Amino acid sequence: MYRPKMQRRSSRSRRQQRQSRMRASAAAVLLVVGALFYFRQSWNGSTKESFASASAHFLKTEGVSVHTGVFQTTKKHVLVTGGAGFIGSHAALKLVETGHPVTILDNLSRGNRGAFEVVRSHSKPGQLGFLEVDLGDRGAVCSGLRASKPDLVMHFAAIAYVSESVKDPLKYYQNITASTVNLLECMKESGVEELVYSSTCATYGNPSELPITESTPTGPVSPYGKAKYMSEGIIRDVARSNSDFKAGILRYFNVYGSDERGRLGEFPRPELKHFGRITGACMDAALGIAPKLTVMGTNHPTKDGSCVRDFIHVVDLVDAHVRLMGSLQNPPVLFNVGTGKGVSVKEIVRACVEVTGKNITVVMQEEARPGDAAEVWADPSAVEAYLGWKAKYTDVREGLSHAWEWRRKHPNGY
């Protein structure tokens, strides 16, 4: 009599356990549904909650990316790292305007929340998502990719000042190289196998011959260039290990300019301005934010003693990145992105004074910035042939006029 009684109790206990598990499962389902409903409702709202780190939720149905909200498209969903930065925000805007669903991933340490707001103002309901995530946080990056489910990653996120990298090299290896490893690991975990990587001409260092072609020997001299070059090698290794992984690497030259319609611009944080580009420094001097414009390095073996660079308009640079999305390969393709024209820093300063119409005090400093190469400009014929791409803005005065149009209306940034 005792044994059957225990069996009955055991059966009743199992039933109770099953019921408890079912209740727990139901609660979990309700929690997920509630979360999805919340993000669907707040995604394009104006409150801080719209920046929640769960990102947009895209469902894959027979190769079609469909947002769980209103936005629907057959175009690839692109995750843009550094999408609140100068170049990344221009890329996100271009992608949104060409009909792609986009998720921006940015920790806002150097990006601008205002740039994201501009991109969002030009997106359709449900088209744009945001992940306030640091690429150094592998767990958060992987969670973000699982939540957003992108088809392709466009990787811009990086701190990018040559002289700062000389001063603090470990920061650059961590921010660029280690973070790229995290991103690639999370892409593998999430099954994302397409990558556009934004690299730099700093991988060439001081070239012995000009113009620079894709076969020019590499020899980065700054930690920034070295960190980017290491990341390129890691991407190639990943491609060798996975035949389904496709990528493209673009080594861009000196970016400047702004959106032609004056919607976006460049505005580094005040504490970083002394590391920044000569074009931004000129705008600050023209606005009276800085008392003078200092040209650093006037004794280089160049046509006028100042550095010579290939100044590529940000709109042209972004156009090359977007075009490359449809032509990724394994092994990864690699191209230089420039105008094919070398312009000296002194020439840029004269053009900036002309465009702004301001009486700028210019100081010539013989000592160069640490890590600066004397002369760097590209032969863009390979990327022109492969993508049918060509720089539209080759007159630096026109590009500077775009930058000035935005800065004079936004003297204090976004």
Side-chain angles (χ1 to χ4, degrees):
M1 296 295 293
Y2 180 75
R3 185 172 296 173
K5 186 175 183 180
M6 287 297 295
Q7 289 174 341
R8 286 195 298 274
R9 286 180 180 175
S10 177
S11 298
R12 185 162 55 249
S13 177
R14 286 196 295 271
R15 285 196 299 273
Q16 291 171 343
Q17 290 174 356
R18 284 197 297 270
Q19 290 170 352
S20 295
R21 285 196 297 269
M22 290 173 65
R23 285 193 294 270
S25 298
V29 169
L30 287 173
L31 181 62
V32 171
V33 170
L36 286 172
F37 177 80
Y38 170 77
F39 289 118
R40 179 177 176 179
Q41 295 300 313
S42 67
W43 195 248
N44 279 293
S46 59
T47 62
K48 189 174 181 180
E49 283 75 15
S50 65
F51 290 85
S53 61
S55 186
H57 295 269
F58 288 85
L59 301 179
K60 295 296 191 61
T61 307
E62 298 179 356
V64 178
S65 295
V66 182
H67 192 282
T68 56
V70 177
F71 188 75
Q72 295 187 9
T73 181
T74 58
K75 292 193 174 183
K76 289 181 179 179
H77 169 206
V78 184
L79 185 140
V80 181
T81 73
F86 174 43
I87 305 172
S89 61
H90 281 80
L93 181 60
K94 172 81 170 179
L95 289 164
V96 161
E97 291 189 321
T98 52
H100 288 273
V102 174
T103 295
I104 289 174
L105 185 151
D106 201 302
N107 67 358
L108 297 178
S109 64
R110 299 199 175 183
N112 289 283
R113 190 181 294 272
F116 169 77
E117 294 292 350
V118 170
V119 177
R120 182 168 63 174
S121 71
H122 291 85
S123 67
K124 296 178 180 178
Q127 186 181 10
L128 182 68
F130 188 93
L131 291 164
E132 189 170 345
V133 168
D134 190 322
L135 283 177
D137 185 345
R138 184 185 180 282
V141 175
C142 289
S143 294
L145 263 70
R146 284 195 300 269
S148 57
K149 298 179 175 64
D151 300 300
L152 180 149
V153 172
M154 192 172 286
H155 184 22
F156 292 103
I159 51 179
Y161 296 125
V162 168
S163 56
E164 183 190 30
S165 78
V166 174
K167 182 180 179 181
D168 194 350
L170 292 180
K171 176 191 284 189
Y172 273 68
Y173 292 121
Q174 180 68 47
N175 177 271
I176 295 172
T177 312
S179 292
T180 297
V181 171
N182 284 345
L183 178 63
L184 289 166
E185 286 179 336
C186 294
M187 288 175 63
K188 180 179 180 180
E189 181 183 301
S190 300
V192 183
E193 295 178 324
E194 294 188 78
L195 173 69
V196 175
Y197 183 56
S198 191
S199 191
T200 173
C201 65
T203 56
Y204 294 110
N206 281 299
S208 57
E209 294 183 358
L210 292 168
I212 294 173
T213 70
E214 287 74 12
S215 60
T216 297
T218 51
V221 296
S222 68
Y224 168 63
K226 292 174 183 177
K228 282 285 192 175
Y229 186 62
M230 289 179 188
S231 297
E232 290 181 6
I234 293 166
I235 291 167
R236 292 190 190 93
D237 286 341
V238 170
R240 277 190 285 269
S241 71
N242 177 8
S243 60
D244 293 326
F245 181 84
K246 296 180 180 180
I249 299 168
L250 296 180
R251 290 174 176 165
Y252 70 88
F253 285 63
N254 285 63
V255 64
Y256 80 117
S258 292
D259 172 65
E260 312 102 308
R261 292 167 56 186
R263 297 170 294 179
L264 291 167
E266 182 178 21
F267 191 79
R269 297 185 184 281
E271 66 271 19
L272 299 171
K273 285 182 179 291
H274 63 290
F275 292 124
R277 300 178 232 276
I278 188 68
T279 50
C282 184
M283 303 292 165
D284 283 343
L287 290 166
I289 295 171
K292 61 185 178 181
L293 172 63
T294 301
V295 175
M296 292 181 281
T298 59
N299 198 27
H300 291 287
T302 60
K303 56 188 176 182
D304 61 14
S306 66
C307 289
V308 173
R309 294 290 183 266
D310 191 333
F311 288 88
I312 178 73
H313 197 293
V314 65
V315 170
D316 287 329
L317 177 61
V318 161
D319 183 42
H321 281 77
V322 173
R323 286 175 184 244
L324 185 59
M325 291 195 308
S327 301
L328 303 177
Q329 291 189 22
N330 188 325
V333 292
L334 182 148
F335 297 107
N336 295 325
V337 183
T339 65
K341 178 182 178 182
V343 179
S344 77
V345 170
K346 288 182 179 179
E347 289 172 332
I348 278 285
V349 170
R350 286 195 293 270
C352 182
V353 171
E354 178 184 335
V355 165
T356 62
K358 302 294 183 179
N359 185 20
I360 299 172
T361 300
V362 180
V363 176
M364 298 294 171
Q365 175 184 303
E366 185 173 337
E367 183 183 0
R369 295 187 307 177
D372 260 354
E375 191 166 5
V376 179
W377 50 284
D379 174 0
S381 58
V383 71
E384 289 174 357
Y386 186 77
L387 293 179
W389 170 93
K390 193 174 181 65
K392 179 180 178 182
Y393 299 108
T394 58
D395 183 342
V396 293
R397 287 169 297 187
E398 186 175 15
L400 286 169
S401 69
H402 294 152
W404 177 240
E405 178 67 16
W406 186 84
R407 275 305 307 275
R408 70 181 183 85
K409 293 179 179 178
H410 304 84
N412 299 312
Y414 291 96

